[in-house]
Amino acid sequence: MLRVAENVRSRLVGMPRRYKRLLQVAVDVVLVWIALWLAFVVRLGDMQGIHPLEGHLWLFALAPVISIPLFVRFGMYRAVMRYFGNDALIAITKAVTLSALILALAVYWHREAPATIPRSMVFNYWWLSIMLIGGLRLCMRQYFMGDWFSPGQPFKLNMRDGSLPKVAIYGAGSSGNQLAAALRMGRAMRPVAFIDDDSNIANRSIAGLRVFSAKHIQQMIDQTGATEILLAMPSASRARRREVLEKLQKYALHVRTVPGFMDLASGRVKVEDVQEVEIADLLGRDAVPPQKDLFERCIRGQVVMVTGAGGSIGSELCRQIVTTGPKTLLLFEHSEYNLYEIHSELEQRVRRDSLGVRLIPILGSVRNENRQVELMRAWDVSTVYHAAAYKHVPMVEHNVAEGVLNNVLGSLCTAQAALRAGVEHFVLISTDKAVRPTNVMGSTKRLAEMVLQALSRETAPVLFRDSEGVHQVNKTRFTMVRFGNVLGSSGSVIPRFYQQIRKGGPVTVTHPNITRYFMTIPEAAQLVIQAGSMGTGGDVFVLDMGQPVKIAELAEKMIHLTGLSVASDCNPHGDIAIEFTGLRPGEKLYEELLIGDNVSPTDHPMIMRANEEHLPWETFKVIMTDLLKAVERDDYDRVRQLLRDTVSGYAPQGDIVDWMHQRRAAKKSLE
């Protein structure tokens, strides 16, 4: 019997939309006749005074003629039965009420009807129609969803659903209810319970599911057999989400979350699109909303250029810039694939939101100064965000020459191009690794900062490699923004941990005491844009990164929130082990944001201004000449010495590990 019902349900669901509507109309005609017949029965008490084929024929013919057009007008046949909700019930009530009123007028005007029609019959017809038409649709919704009879066991009659993973939903509000309905229709997971901190709804039933308090999660697990928890709190603050996640860590449950409110509102995702818990929720720090005047100052109505537009920070800068109302956005990137990806994404967004911005994707290298000058002059660029850089510490440590050429020479060429083209604002994306660095990447980023510091103090400098000695008028305001690690960036630790956990471990951490600052990519990009608007020239801005996070503890939390346990000496039978591999070349145990203690506040609560030491422009040019000569000769001992002499606090650890340097040393030892 159940198999037959399931087959009928599948055939009905698979029917063409046109046939479904015709079937609904036919059923509604029959229901209108039944409601009219029952209205007479309720009023008269018997069937003797009812003449549907004789005296009352005109009334039975008129009722569907009045009702069906009204049902069409109120959209009753546009509603999808499986998504039938309160709005549809309201529409049915309105349509039936209006049809009953019109039918009452028809009865009033047709006083010489062949058979008697009691006045109260119309009222009976009204409430019976609502019950029959609305009630049938509610029953059909339950039928199509599979939860036919028992509200406490919505999947009881579908035996295939017994194998579905059982999930509990944390949050019994509107998002939780939508998620439960979506899961039931999707049949990928089986919702078995709600969890909510509201004591007023504890132990009650919502959407056929029992609501448990947060104190009784273990009881919920024992009674329902839930293996996952889905967080349905898209509008909750990060502090609140962190509090909830800390409660859930001690239970053997895989915790996932519903997308955020802005993602839902924009239509990028649906409420049923669950995802892994964001590490930003574990940090527990809410982003500060951007200040509109700062955010728009260097963008709205202007031509903006972003170097490294396809990178983690560069691409997010482009996303936020394109919605802020620039005249033109130049996407400058050396990777063809990355440029294609970000350009395609932004093009779709511009079309979807009807944004009045022109996108110009440009392939090129930041080391080509003349090319950049031509671009900036051709489009009259007013603001440049320089995000192009090599940032992976061990990779740059093994490729010293490219690190120096891209991070230092590339920044120098881009800054000089901006000065020559008369760009108004130039913002360098720096890093906390530039503070007392132990690696080549950090020292090259500090040199890039020093390029801008030196240039900003010159009103008419003779540029580097200008053999003619021409003084260039400096109208560009140079600004640097320094921050720590961003969550989810390419090569970051978080995606690697998730990948290792999915593979069954082990999770590799370099050192048990290593700590890092973290910030979300959108938050970092917002603060970069705002900081760039506040500079007066040569400013080094530092973002408030909150408290540093211990990486080993972060790995443990990620393992627990996937429903697994950490294998350790205390728990040898745990699921995932954490292995400590030792610090990589150039890696520090902790990062800093300031070289000194001379920091001053700004108008933004999360942006500080640092007063860092700098070199005169002419002195810096001499250092750059020596540095580039050493790179050309592959003299990495000299490169290290120049970096040590120039960058304050640079303290390299261990030997030079550049691949070319090591190879030459190995060959020399064999000779």
Side-chain angles (χ1 to χ4, degrees):
M1 184 66 180
L2 293 179
R3 184 176 296 177
V4 173
E6 181 65 23
N7 290 336
V8 172
R9 189 190 71 84
S10 300
R11 293 191 64 178
L12 288 173
V13 171
M15 286 175 62
R17 185 67 183 152
R18 182 178 58 183
Y19 293 158
K20 291 179 181 177
R21 288 177 175 175
L22 290 174
L23 181 60
Q24 284 183 278
V25 170
V27 170
D28 283 344
V29 170
V30 174
L31 290 176
V32 166
W33 284 340
I34 293 173
L36 195 58
W37 185 78
L38 288 175
F40 278 101
V41 173
V42 171
R43 172 62 181 85
L44 301 175
D46 57 42
M47 295 179 286
Q48 298 297 323
I50 310 172
H51 308 287
L53 300 178
E54 295 177 0
H56 295 143
L57 178 62
W58 71 273
L59 187 64
F60 278 82
L62 185 62
V65 172
I66 295 173
S67 300
I68 299 302
L70 288 172
F71 294 173
V72 173
R73 180 64 182 84
F74 279 87
M76 288 173 52
Y77 303 116
R78 291 196 300 268
V80 180
M81 199 70 71
R82 285 172 290 172
Y83 300 91
F84 185 84
N86 294 334
D87 291 342
L89 281 176
I90 293 171
I92 290 172
T93 303
K94 290 179 179 178
V96 169
T97 301
L98 190 56
S99 68
L101 289 173
I102 295 174
L103 191 67
L105 287 174
V107 171
Y108 175 78
W109 286 109
H110 197 50
R111 297 180 177 180
E112 299 179 0
T116 305
I117 302 175
R119 295 177 182 177
S120 60
M121 182 277 302
V122 176
F123 176 75
N124 293 334
Y125 167 74
W126 171 74
W127 66 263
L128 284 166
S129 295
I130 292 176
M131 288 184 59
L132 290 173
I133 296 171
L136 180 64
R137 280 166 166 77
L138 286 173
C139 291
M140 294 305 293
R141 184 190 69 172
Q142 302 297 97
Y143 174 65
F144 288 129
M145 289 175 59
D147 46 351
W148 301 340
F149 300 124
S150 176
Q153 300 288 335
F155 290 86
K156 186 175 181 180
L157 298 182
N158 194 343
M159 303 307 294
R160 294 178 300 172
D161 294 325
S163 61
L164 295 178
K166 299 177 181 178
V167 299
I169 299 171
Y170 202 115
S174 58
S175 295
N177 276 270
Q178 291 178 52
L179 179 58
L183 292 176
R184 288 173 171 174
M185 287 182 285
R187 301 193 173 203
M189 298 178 181
R190 176 181 173 185
V192 294
F194 282 113
I195 304 168
D196 203 282
D197 295 321
D198 188 353
S199 58
N200 295 322
I201 60 174
N203 294 318
R204 296 191 179 185
S205 181
I206 296 177
L209 303 177
R210 182 180 171 184
V211 182
F212 291 84
S213 67
K215 298 183 292 184
H216 299 120
I217 293 178
Q218 189 59 53
Q219 179 187 349
M220 180 276 298
I221 297 171
D222 297 336
Q223 291 183 5
T224 64
T227 57
E228 289 190 35
I229 285 186
L230 304 181
L231 298 184
M233 304 184 302
S235 302
S237 67
R238 283 186 183 152
R240 171 63 182 143
R241 294 167 75 89
R242 180 183 181 181
E243 181 186 335
V244 172
L245 290 171
E246 287 176 348
K247 290 181 185 177
L248 299 177
Q249 279 186 58
K250 59 185 177 181
Y251 302 105
L253 293 166
H254 186 183
V255 181
R256 292 197 281 177
T257 184
V258 176
F261 177 77
M262 292 306 297
D263 291 328
L264 293 171
S266 64
R268 289 193 295 267
V269 295
K270 300 186 290 292
V271 70
E272 65 265 29
D273 293 336
V274 296
Q275 56 197 21
E276 298 295 335
V277 171
E278 294 184 7
I279 302 303
D281 295 334
L282 295 176
L283 303 181
R285 189 183 73 245
D286 289 312
V288 177
Q291 299 180 13
K292 187 177 179 181
D293 59 329
L294 289 176
F295 200 76
E296 297 180 349
R297 187 175 298 169
C298 299
I299 297 174
R300 183 165 294 280
Q302 301 183 43
V303 180
V304 183
M305 176 175 167
V306 178
T307 69
S312 301
I313 294 294
S315 60
E316 182 60 31
L317 282 170
C318 293
R319 293 184 191 100
Q320 299 198 21
I321 289 169
V322 82
T323 59
T324 310
K327 181 181 176 183
T328 305
L329 175 59
L330 275 68
L331 314 171
F332 193 80
E333 172 64 52
H334 80 285
S335 168
E336 182 187 24
Y337 177 75
N338 289 352
L339 182 61
Y340 168 78
E341 283 286 298
I342 185 62
H343 181 245
S344 300
E345 178 189 330
L346 295 179
E347 261 196 331
Q348 292 177 8
R349 189 164 189 177
V350 168
R351 286 197 299 267
R352 185 186 70 214
D353 300 339
S354 301
L355 302 175
V357 55
R358 185 183 180 190
L359 300 175
I360 309 294
I362 299 173
L363 281 169
S365 170
V366 291
R367 303 180 200 176
N368 192 337
E369 182 178 330
N370 291 330
R371 170 69 167 158
Q372 293 189 88
V373 172
E374 292 172 1
L375 290 170
M376 294 177 189
R377 287 175 175 172
W379 272 277
D380 297 321
V381 174
S382 57
T383 303
V384 173
Y385 294 97
H386 181 50
Y390 292 141
K391 65 171 189 174
H392 196 265
V393 169
M395 195 66 70
V396 176
E397 207 70 16
H398 289 297
N399 298 272
V400 173
E402 285 300 308
V404 172
L405 292 173
N406 197 64
N407 293 359
V408 185
L409 181 62
S411 298
L412 175 61
C413 290
T414 307
Q416 290 194 157
L419 190 150
R420 290 168 60 187
V423 171
E424 296 179 26
H425 314 285
F426 186 100
V427 183
L428 169 70
I429 313 304
S430 191
T431 171
D432 58 354
K433 294 174 178 61
V435 179
R436 283 181 280 274
T438 58
N439 51 69
V440 175
M441 194 281 280
S443 60
T444 56
K445 290 297 288 184
R446 176 59 188 147
L447 277 178
E449 293 181 355
M450 295 173 74
V451 168
L452 271 61
Q453 287 177 300
L455 274 176
S456 66
R457 285 161 174 82
E458 300 289 327
T459 56
V462 177
L463 300 182
F464 180 69
R465 287 178 171 173
D466 185 354
S467 58
E468 299 178 359
V470 178
H471 290 266
Q472 298 282 342
V473 178
N474 185 3
K475 298 180 179 179
T476 305
R477 182 171 58 86
F478 294 101
T479 303
M480 295 135 278
V481 185
R482 188 186 291 163
F483 54 93
N485 298 272
V486 288
L487 297 170
S489 64
S490 58
S492 83
V493 67
I494 308 303
R496 191 176 78 245
F497 281 176
Y498 272 128
Q499 187 179 22
Q500 291 173 337
I501 292 170
R502 284 194 291 267
K503 290 182 177 179
V507 174
T508 56
V509 180
T510 55
H511 194 281
N513 297 323
I514 193 168
T515 62
R516 288 292 182 266
Y517 291 101
F518 284 105
M519 180 179 283
T520 66
I521 295 177
E523 186 179 7
Q526 283 183 3
L527 292 173
V528 164
I529 292 171
Q530 293 174 91
S533 303
M534 294 191 292
T536 57
D539 307 85
V540 178
F541 290 104
V542 179
L543 305 187
D544 182 359
M545 302 292 295
Q547 295 299 315
V549 177
K550 202 169 182 178
I551 302 300
E553 293 180 359
L554 185 64
E556 290 181 9
K557 289 179 179 180
M558 291 177 67
I559 293 170
H560 287 142
L561 291 173
T562 53
L564 304 171
S565 60
V566 179
S568 62
D569 294 337
C570 300
N571 183 26
H573 301 294
D575 301 301
I576 305 288
I578 297 177
E579 290 186 0
F580 298 102
T581 58
L583 292 175
R584 297 172 296 179
E587 198 169 36
K588 297 170 68 174
L589 274 179
Y590 60 93
E591 303 290 0
E592 304 166 271
L593 291 170
L594 293 172
I595 297 174
D597 297 324
N598 50 344
V599 64
S600 57
T602 66
D603 295 335
H604 197 287
M606 293 189 67
I607 302 174
M608 300 169 288
R609 180 182 278 105
N611 297 308
E612 307 283 25
E613 61 181 5
H614 62 278
L615 293 175
W617 175 242
E618 293 301 323
T619 304
F620 193 85
K621 286 198 296 183
V622 174
I623 294 171
M624 279 298 301
T625 301
D626 292 344
L627 183 62
L628 294 177
K629 285 181 179 178
V631 170
E632 288 174 7
R633 297 193 306 266
D634 288 334
D635 185 356
Y636 298 113
D637 290 304
R638 178 61 177 162
V639 171
R640 173 174 280 194
Q641 187 58 49
L642 286 167
L643 292 176
R644 195 194 297 267
D645 294 340
T646 310
V647 178
S648 176
Y650 177 49
Q653 300 173 353
D655 298 329
I656 298 172
V657 295
D658 181 89
W659 296 122
M660 289 295 293
H661 180 82
Q662 290 183 325
R663 184 60 178 169
R664 287 197 180 97
K667 280 191 172 184
K668 189 177 288 186
S669 64
L670 294 174
E671 292 176 355

